[in-house]
Amino acid sequence: MLRALAVDDERPSLEELLYLLTADPRIGAVEGAGDATEALRRINRALESGPDGPDALDVVFLDIQMPGLDGLDLARLLTGFAHPPLVVFVTAHEDFAVQAFDLKAVDYVLKPVRKERLAEAVRRAAALRDTPAARIPVHEPDPDQLPVELGGVTRFVAVDDITHVEAQGDYARLHTGRGSHLVRIPLSTLEERWRARGFVRIHRRHLVALRHIGELRLDAGTVSVLVGGEELQVSRRHARELRDLLMRRT
């Protein structure tokens, strides 16, 4: 039986989450907290009590956007403890999945919460609690994949399938041969993370995978590349570096 804490600053959302968790037979006890500060006090009691103590917690169901200390901030604090409770994010915003799984989240549930979807998150938490590797998340961050949210379901996009990435403000749009996905992560971060995997900046708005470049085109002093059936302009500052990289690859 799991001992759970639900955290949400919106009272109706918190009451609904508490109701759904109480109805799950795998939840032995569940408490509620109206903000991350209150939750942190409760978690501190659990950590002081120890994993087998009377105030122990197994899993925290955590909203993300809250006033003051938000859910991501609280999850970051928990990573500093030796034996923190498991974390399941429950949020109306699908844009934080990358950060959530980087913080070792067990699951990422979108609002409005469906009973079946929450039950799956509880199942994952229970499975982890009952295994020797109870603090290893179901979705261990994989350098070969990137989690994206589609219709309330977390899917994983293989980095090797990404043809190019387009900057859209604080977001980045990942393009593959089967469509595109918007993630809340700056293009500069992906450029640094994927440089060794053959991704190169060709423009302030575009990052491309060298393996997916089909053609390099020169026309009246302008340079462009054909990537995944789309023609992308190459800025002057990046043109020479791109040509050199393509020559070395051939």
Side-chain angles (χ1 to χ4, degrees), residues 100-118:
F101 289 123
D102 282 345
L103 291 169
K104 314 295 186 183
V106 171
D107 208 343
Y108 192 90
V109 180
L110 286 177
K111 298 177 182 177
V113 178
R114 293 183 292 109
K115 179 181 178 180
E116 297 79 9
R117 183 67 183 86
L118 185 63

Side-chain angles (χ1 to χ4, degrees), residues 7-10 13 17 61-66 70-72 88-98 100-101 105 107-114 117-118 149 152-154 184:
V7 187
D8 199 311
D9 65 304
E10 297 181 355
S13 296
L17 184 56
F61 293 84
L62 183 59
D63 189 21
I64 288 183
Q65 290 199 331
M66 295 182 288
D70 68 20
L72 292 173
V88 173
F89 284 104
V90 183
T91 176
H93 304 276
E94 64 182 34
D95 308 313
F96 300 100
V98 174
F101 289 123
D107 208 343
Y108 192 90
V109 180
L110 286 177
K111 298 177 182 177
V113 178
R114 293 183 292 109
R117 183 67 183 86
L118 185 63
E149 284 289 325
V153 178
T154 302
R184 188 168 185 174

